[in-house]
Amino acid sequence: MAASLVAVPLTIAESTQGKFALSITVGATQDRDHHTAQQIITAIKHAQTPETVQLWIEQASDQDDQFASTLGFTPYRDLWRMQRTLPTQRSTIRTRAFVPDKDNEVFLEINNRAFYWHSEQGDMTNQGLLERMSQGWFNPEGFRLYEQDGRLVGFCWTKTHLQETPPAGEVYAIAVDPNFHGKGLGKQITLSGLDYLSQQGLKVGFLYVESNNETAVAVYSSLGFAHHSTNRAYRITALTHQNVQQVFTA
């Protein structure tokens, strides 16, 4: 897993994806100030190639764009948080819980075909799956699988966030086997995950979606989800470590 260099809510981690030397996350409650900037500058010094450092700012605003720009970063990706109240309409399909080890291979096969385009979810290995399953939030009961005639067709992987106010449930990942696209299964599989979260007593459900994924946004909107906030990703451009440091030490 990524190695944390500083404490949350500012998280600075070595990237496991190869595209970026480091991935930095400024949490929603983290101050966008001189102290945070200095932590980012220090982190950049750990990178072998400063032009490939990524910066995520949660619940980003126009002021955050200016903060990131001053550090030499430019925006390139928006991840929307969409949410709705629970419960919602019930799913018309029946799902079962994920069984660790038994379901790993078939899940990975569908996941990687469904998310071939996705920088984080695609190309998942069994080791990567095991690492996610080792996290404290993992619960196989919340990892819902949908089968037809004994064949895995799709899944809805959920998380619970009891530390939020009010406690909320997340649709962490949802996918349908590409061979079964166009049958309206995505909506029902999503609802199956929301059913599970509602059964845990949660009153808020949310998910993250790429802002430019118009098809997915339309599906989630039809399920009652609305845009709540934006996590924005930035990447460093031409500024060198020295140029960045001079901005905040002058």
Side-chain angles (χ1 to χ4, degrees):
M1 290 295 290
S4 180
L5 302 179
V6 297
V8 284
L10 179 62
T11 301
I12 304 172
E14 296 175 2
S15 175
T16 59
Q17 300 164 34
K19 187 175 181 180
F20 298 100
L22 288 176
S23 186
I24 304 168
T25 301
V26 178
T29 61
Q30 175 74 28
D31 291 332
R32 280 67 151 160
D33 58 7
H34 180 86
H35 177 67
T36 298
Q38 288 298 328
Q39 291 186 70
I40 294 172
I41 292 167
T42 299
I44 291 174
K45 293 179 180 178
H46 287 81
Q48 296 296 317
T49 51
E51 70 275 10
T52 60
V53 173
Q54 177 178 245
L55 174 67
W56 276 101
I57 296 184
E58 297 181 347
Q59 298 185 22
S61 66
D62 292 343
Q63 290 75 22
D64 292 319
D65 285 349
Q66 180 59 44
F67 175 79
S69 175
T70 304
L71 284 165
F73 290 86
T74 54
Y76 79 96
R77 179 184 175 193
D78 276 5
L79 193 65
W80 280 7
R81 173 168 168 156
M82 300 183 72
Q83 72 180 46
R84 59 152 300 144
T85 57
L86 298 176
T88 181
Q89 65 189 92
R90 298 297 302 275
S91 176
T92 60
I93 63 173
R94 296 186 65 179
T95 60
R96 68 169 177 86
F98 178 87
V99 179
D101 296 329
K102 175 180 178 293
D103 291 322
N104 291 25
E105 185 176 350
V106 66
F107 158 74
L108 288 168
E109 194 273 329
I110 290 181
N111 178 84
N112 291 346
R113 286 197 297 117
F115 287 106
Y116 70 92
W117 52 272
H118 198 280
S119 59
E120 283 95 23
Q121 191 71 14
D123 293 327
M124 189 186 301
T125 64
N126 189 59
Q127 181 59 36
L129 174 60
L130 292 175
E131 289 173 351
R132 297 191 195 195
M133 290 166 57
S134 71
Q135 300 300 304
W137 55 261
F138 177 75
N139 180 354
E141 288 295 323
F143 194 166
R144 309 305 301 174
L145 305 186
Y146 175 60
E147 297 174 320
Q148 288 185 359
D149 299 322
R151 174 181 177 179
L152 182 62
V153 171
F155 61 86
C156 185
W157 193 349
T158 69
K159 287 184 181 182
T160 57
H161 296 265
L162 301 182
Q163 77 282 4
E164 293 205 4
T165 304
E170 176 186 358
V171 174
Y172 173 58
I174 181 266
V176 177
D177 184 332
N179 293 330
F180 288 80
H181 282 181
K183 300 179 181 295
L185 291 173
K187 179 177 180 178
Q188 294 304 322
I189 292 174
T190 302
L191 287 173
S192 73
L194 295 176
D195 282 347
Y196 169 80
L197 294 172
S198 181
Q199 290 164 11
Q200 308 315 301
L202 300 171
K203 302 301 183 184
V204 175
F206 71 92
L207 52 81
Y208 291 99
V209 61
E210 303 288 341
S211 63
N212 60 357
N213 189 340
E214 296 180 359
T215 299
V217 168
V219 170
Y220 298 140
S221 296
S222 73
L223 289 171
F225 286 91
H227 178 254
H228 174 269
S229 58
T230 299
N231 291 353
R232 182 162 296 146
Y234 306 78
R235 52 192 170 196
I236 201 165
T237 52
L239 287 184
T240 64
H241 291 165
Q242 183 178 4
N243 293 143
V244 173
Q245 190 168 14
Q246 285 176 348
V247 170
F248 282 90
T249 57

